[in-house]
Amino acid sequence: MQKTLSEQVAKHPSLGEGLGRLFITFFKIGIFTLGGGYAMIPLIEEEVVNKHRWVSKDEMLDLIAIAQSCPGVFAINIAIFIGYKLKKERGAIATTLGTALPSFLIILAIAMFFSHFKDNKVVAALFRGIRPAVVALIAVPTFNMAKRAQLNKWTLWIPIVSALVIWLMGVSPIWVIIVAGVGGYAVGKLKGEK
């Protein structure tokens, strides 16, 4: 049975926060994230799951899977889902703007001044230092997702084979997602018939 908003707010008081709080939270996530959508996952999880408790860890895992499967920018997809869950259309708009605006402003500033510092050794050194940190920011949510996905000896091969097929054979991730979805559906049907 669906809980009313007042019941949800009573259980999680932070749900009663307004659109401004949603915008500021996602703006902060957007401004402090380097490396794209996957690098945002630890920050989104910290703010949305741990700090504000807007979604549970299981819901976050589901949202990551859905956002990955949908067309568009991963971080925007997550923002839309969370914003809509909390405040419907207006919440989705607030979280989307909060997520996208920092990148837009930063890229605009870089584009305006890029020719002035593109050959600067200090800037080049900064970017070389940031790259390994971005790899770590992407690796951490990957391992956390694997733990929460409850992989076992029967299912561990699926992400490994999927990654190898994409990396070594150049298969589009779209095909991997489609095959995994169809396979999961088929397995679910077979288990349901037993």
Side-chain angles (χ1 to χ4, degrees):
M1 183 157 119
Q2 182 95 16
K3 291 183 181 177
T4 65
L5 183 59
S6 59
E7 289 173 327
Q8 291 178 11
V9 169
K11 187 174 179 184
H12 301 289
S14 56
L15 284 176
E17 296 175 358
L19 296 173
R21 172 57 52 202
L22 290 174
F23 175 83
I24 289 168
T25 299
F26 278 84
F27 188 88
K28 184 170 62 172
I29 291 166
I31 204 161
F32 289 112
T33 303
L34 300 170
Y38 295 105
M40 284 182 156
I41 293 173
L43 289 172
I44 293 172
E45 195 167 2
E46 179 59 33
E47 288 290 326
V48 171
V49 176
N50 300 334
K51 183 176 178 184
H52 295 290
R53 292 187 214 145
W54 289 332
V55 297
S56 70
K57 286 187 177 197
D58 288 340
E59 287 174 308
M60 185 69 185
L61 183 61
D62 291 341
L63 288 175
I64 290 169
I66 293 167
Q68 171 63 32
S69 302
C70 292
V73 178
F74 175 78
I76 298 294
N77 291 348
I78 287 269
I80 291 169
F81 289 132
I82 293 170
Y84 188 83
K85 178 186 186 289
L86 299 175
K87 298 286 185 178
K88 302 295 178 208
E89 290 86 1
R90 294 172 71 192
I93 291 167
T95 55
T96 300
L97 288 175
T99 302
L101 195 57
S103 297
F104 173 78
L105 295 174
I106 291 167
I107 293 299
L108 181 62
I110 289 171
M112 291 170 53
F113 302 107
F114 182 70
S115 62
H116 298 298
F117 64 84
K118 68 179 181 180
D119 296 324
N120 185 311
K121 290 181 182 179
V122 173
V123 172
L126 284 171
F127 282 115
R128 278 194 306 275
I130 289 171
R131 287 181 195 134
V134 169
V135 171
L137 287 173
I138 293 169
V140 168
T142 301
F143 291 118
N144 288 339
M145 284 174 51
K147 279 193 268 183
R148 283 191 298 247
Q150 300 171 348
L151 296 174
N152 58 42
K153 65 182 178 181
W154 306 110
T155 59
L156 184 61
W157 66 272
I158 297 170
I160 293 169
V161 169
S162 298
L164 290 173
V165 165
I166 293 167
W167 180 47
L168 296 176
M169 299 174 68
V171 173
S172 171
I174 294 168
W175 289 112
V176 172
I177 291 169
I178 291 170
V179 168
V182 170
Y185 177 78
V187 169
K189 285 298 250 183
L190 287 173
K191 284 185 175 181
E193 291 176 6
K194 291 182 178 181

